[in-house]
Amino acid sequence: MSRHRPPQPTAIPDRYSQRFRELKQEFQQLEYFCKGTLLKRMMKCGKAQCACRQDPAKRHGPYFEWTYKAKGKTVNVKLTREVMPMFRAASQQYRKLKSLLNRLERLSQTALRHQVKQAQSSHRD
């Protein structure tokens, strides 16, 4: 009585493996990152006679904020002018992270589809 063995994963072409390794190395180059939105706001005050009420060019500010979601709630964090560049850089790093993950996922899907085709063709032989 012969036993049927499940198909073994076939080799992924070198070009997929090499590109996957290159993309994984990009993770090591990432710096601190954060998800959210950075805002620069000009505000009206509560004084009825203040010029900011009538003229948008005379509003107070700029005031800087970082807004993000945590446990389904929006969180607003006031930032100083001095720390704003750090958060801007962290936000850019987050976008790089998302892009890198998307590229890794697409490459993985392509490599897996290739493996499936190879396994199916070798299984028929």
Side-chain angles (χ1 to χ4, degrees):
M1 186 165 139
S2 67
R3 295 167 78 191
H4 186 279
R5 291 189 314 167
Q8 297 297 313
T10 57
I12 297 174
D14 287 340
R15 68 179 188 269
Y16 296 140
S17 297
Q18 176 62 31
R19 184 65 184 136
F20 196 82
R21 283 192 300 275
E22 290 168 1
L23 290 172
K24 285 192 331 185
Q25 287 177 348
E26 288 187 37
F27 273 108
Q28 294 176 326
Q29 297 169 5
L30 286 173
E31 299 293 331
Y32 291 120
F33 56 87
C34 68
K35 178 177 165 181
T37 303
L38 296 168
L39 302 170
K40 175 182 171 183
R41 301 177 72 168
M42 303 300 285
M43 309 288 282
K44 293 182 195 177
C45 72
K47 298 178 184 175
Q49 300 304 316
C50 186
C52 69
R53 287 281 207 212
Q54 311 303 325
D55 186 357
K58 294 186 178 180
R59 290 189 178 162
H60 302 280
Y63 298 102
F64 301 99
E65 290 181 12
W66 169 41
T67 303
Y68 64 96
K69 291 274 190 180
K71 298 181 183 176
K73 302 280 183 180
T74 301
V75 178
N76 292 314
V77 178
K78 292 194 184 310
L79 303 174
T80 63
R81 181 182 300 272
E82 294 76 29
V83 301
M84 185 65 169
M86 289 188 294
F87 279 85
R88 185 173 288 119
S91 180
Q92 289 168 344
Q93 289 293 301
Y94 182 75
R95 285 192 295 278
K96 282 183 184 179
L97 172 65
K98 283 179 37 176
S99 172
L100 182 56
L101 281 173
N102 287 332
R103 288 183 289 158
L104 278 165
E105 181 180 18
R106 285 192 308 271
L107 179 60
S108 294
Q109 289 172 350
T110 301
L112 288 167
R113 280 194 300 270
H114 181 80
Q115 277 188 312
V116 166
K117 283 181 183 178
Q118 279 190 330
Q120 289 172 341
S121 67
S122 67
H123 183 64
R124 285 181 249 188
D125 296 340

